[in-house]
Amino acid sequence: MPTYHYRLLNVFAIDGQRLSGNPLCVFEDASDLDAVTMQALALQFNLSETTFILPSDKATARVRIFTPSFEMPFAGHPTLGTAHVVRELYGVDDALTLEMQAGVISVSVEQSQWTLQAAAPRWREVRANHSQLAEMLGLSVEDIAAVPLWVDTGSEQLVVPLNSESAVRRCTPNFALLKEYARLNNTRFLVYVWAHGGAHDIEARFFFAKGTSVVEDPATGSACANLGGWFIATQAKLPINKRVLQGAAVGRASVLDLQVDAQSRIFVSGQVIELGRGTISL
């Protein structure tokens, strides 16, 4: 009976809080696993994502990312957490590359703080108007700030700026309206809301449909990267350095660092903590 080794990590964790951040399961060697089994294992662990490390002829390693329901081309916290494991397994230096469906992602580390460079952003307009978006989020139309956009730096998402941190905290998305106005395709319905806090802080939440309910993610690196894309799309003054606070509403406080440099390159950083290791026999 084959045995497979995995690790459990928290990504975008907070110093001194080992149970903060977004949980991740990483399988160290998935060479003998097919996609059906990977998907079944992701459902077995039932975390927001589970990743599988494979050999690559284009990068340090190839990575496949699965939610309990589907495979993803790119996601932020799986990228950083998997890089943490790859560096130790492969004995590489503090900079490496990961081959994903979305392309080859560059990742680096300083102490326990990992940083990825996102792909150049693409964006498109949102068909829903402010009133419809407000109704979808359980807010008033005055809570919606200018220029919601669909943004894609590897995983396309609806990015909706709000006028206050209070509005972010008051969001109570409507499942039926999320499926109508935040539809990416026939299986994915998602929205990232955010507002400026202090001088360098942003408060954010990420919601998506799962089954017949709305679920909230503790820390969403891909959405943080898309926020960087939103700043570029709206011609914000560069460079930008922001600390993004997420996850408090679901009891998993997280910190993501966003940088958009003067050349419009987007970087997302966060702390990775390994909690434990185990094996599973199939």
Side-chain angles (χ1 to χ4, degrees):
M1 187 176 295
T3 297
Y4 300 91
H5 295 263
Y6 66 86
R7 304 190 190 192
L8 296 176
L9 307 102
N10 283 335
V11 184
F12 299 121
I14 298 172
D15 282 336
Q17 300 182 34
R18 289 184 58 79
L19 297 179
S20 61
N22 202 347
L24 177 70
C25 178
V26 180
F27 277 84
E28 297 178 359
D29 183 0
S31 301
D32 297 333
L33 296 174
D34 59 24
V36 173
T37 306
M38 293 181 195
Q39 183 66 78
L41 285 168
L43 180 58
Q44 174 74 34
F45 280 83
N46 202 33
L47 298 174
S48 55
E49 283 98 9
T50 297
T51 66
F52 300 86
I53 299 173
L54 297 155
S56 172
D57 57 6
K58 299 179 180 179
T60 310
R62 184 161 71 97
V63 180
R64 296 185 71 172
I65 305 170
F66 288 82
T67 75
S69 303
F70 54 86
E71 185 172 7
M72 295 189 69
F74 167 77
H77 98 275
T79 299
L80 299 186
T82 306
H84 180 93
V85 177
V86 166
R87 179 181 63 157
E88 182 174 323
L89 288 176
Y90 290 26
V92 296
D93 293 331
D94 292 345
L96 55 90
T97 54
L98 299 178
E99 177 191 353
M100 300 182 174
Q101 286 187 359
V104 175
I105 306 297
S106 297
V107 193
S108 61
V109 64
E110 184 174 342
Q111 297 181 347
S112 61
Q113 187 83 357
W114 283 88
T115 299
L116 66 85
Q117 182 177 346
R122 298 177 295 172
W123 56 85
R124 58 187 173 95
E125 294 183 354
V126 176
R127 292 183 180 179
N129 60 38
H130 282 200
S131 178
Q132 291 168 325
L133 293 174
E135 186 181 10
M136 177 185 76
L137 295 169
L139 300 174
S140 66
V141 68
E142 292 79 12
D143 289 319
I144 308 296
V147 201
L149 290 172
W150 284 96
V151 184
D152 185 359
T153 57
S155 181
E156 189 176 22
Q157 294 150 352
L158 174 57
V159 178
V160 179
L162 302 180
N163 280 317
S164 67
E165 295 171 289
S166 171
V168 172
R169 296 168 192 157
R170 286 187 279 109
C171 282
T172 53
N174 177 286
F175 175 77
L177 295 179
L178 188 75
K179 293 187 72 172
E180 183 173 354
Y181 300 134
R183 173 186 292 269
L184 179 61
N185 52 42
N186 289 332
T187 60
R188 299 187 65 193
F189 315 92
L190 36 79
V191 61
Y192 180 72
V193 298
W194 66 277
H196 290 287
H200 299 290
D201 283 355
I202 283 173
E203 186 158 344
R205 297 172 73 182
F206 183 79
F207 302 99
F208 60 96
K210 182 178 181 181
T212 57
S213 61
V214 177
V215 178
E216 182 171 349
D217 195 40
T220 318
S222 57
C224 187
N226 285 340
L227 176 57
W230 184 92
F231 283 124
I232 292 170
T234 56
Q235 300 182 343
K237 184 179 179 181
L238 303 180
I240 289 171
N241 289 281
K242 296 290 185 180
R243 187 178 70 155
V244 179
L245 309 179
Q246 191 180 340
V250 290
R252 298 285 304 199
S254 305
V255 175
L256 306 86
D257 292 312
L258 171 65
Q259 177 189 2
V260 185
D261 69 12
Q263 290 74 46
S264 296
R265 296 178 300 179
I266 301 169
F267 301 90
V268 175
S269 305
Q271 184 174 188
V272 177
I273 296 172
E274 181 178 318
L275 288 181
R277 308 181 186 188
T279 60
I280 192 168
S281 299
L282 299 177

